[in-house]
Amino acid sequence: MTLTDHLSSPRLPSVGLLSEGQMRGGACVFCGSVATVDLGRHDMRCLGAVVHWFPRACRPCADGGYVDHLIAAAMSVCRELPPPPQLTDLYRRLQHEVRRRLPIAERAAAVAGQGTMSCHAHQRVVDAAIDALTDAAVDDEPSPLVLAMRCHELGRRLHDLVPYRPCGDS
């Protein structure tokens, strides 16, 4: 997978957090339902060796529905604090997805015309997303509760960015 592919495609969950069915391709890597869509070859390091992995997804998640699962997970982290590895994985996936959608929102604000209500609406979404991303840069190793609150905020920002679909998503 090239750097461009990595930046333009959704971030997959960490392999260590997947079920056996998700690992062997029978279940969607995002939601766990029956997988029908191949997501292509992915390489990962395991004990110093490069291992090829061929994840799969269900049709709704492959068509962009995985974002709904990310948002739902982000909204629930403060109620049900997941284990730190799962929380860290969710946080990285949320950051990745917000960063994927941010340029589309910035383009929409630029095209809308300076001073228009549409421009201000797009810019509000952009500014809030940038604030959520930069707030995280302050602390390298936050406590699980702080990380959960950051996940929740990124989930809110991702919810605002849902209309801004990256190229390649349906």
Side-chain angles (χ1 to χ4, degrees), residues 104-124:
I104 294 103
E106 290 171 330
R107 270 184 255 136
V111 169
Q114 195 69 17
T116 64
M117 287 185 67
S118 179
C119 177
H120 290 295
H122 294 302
Q123 196 60 50
R124 182 196 62 79

Side-chain angles (χ1 to χ4, degrees), residues 64-77:
Y66 65 90
V67 172
D68 296 334
H69 297 290
L70 278 176
I71 293 169
M75 294 301 120
S76 70
V77 293

Side-chain angles (χ1 to χ4, degrees), residues 84-165:
Q86 189 177 348
L87 195 57
T88 301
D89 182 65
L90 175 62
Y91 180 69
R92 289 183 180 138
R93 292 173 58 210
L94 285 162
Q95 278 185 315
H96 181 81
E97 195 59 35
V98 168
R99 286 185 182 125
R100 282 182 70 210
R101 291 168 183 266
L102 197 52
I104 294 103
E106 290 171 330
R107 270 184 255 136
V111 169
Q114 195 69 17
T116 64
M117 287 185 67
S118 179
C119 177
H120 290 295
H122 294 302
Q123 196 60 50
R124 182 196 62 79
V125 170
V126 168
D127 292 344
I130 290 172
D131 287 347
L133 288 170
T134 54
D135 282 348
V138 177
D139 189 6
D140 286 342
E141 296 205 22
S143 71
L145 184 56
V146 169
L147 193 55
M149 292 177 1
R150 288 181 183 164
C151 283
H152 185 82
E153 182 62 22
L154 280 173
R156 291 179 61 211
R157 298 306 126 221
L158 181 55
H159 183 269
D160 292 343
L161 288 166
V162 165
Y164 306 97
R165 298 184 67 90

Side-chain angles (χ1 to χ4, degrees), residues 52-69:
H52 305 300
W53 178 46
F54 297 88
R56 299 180 73 208
C58 64
R59 174 54 57 197
C61 285
D63 288 342
Y66 65 90
V67 172
D68 296 334
H69 297 290

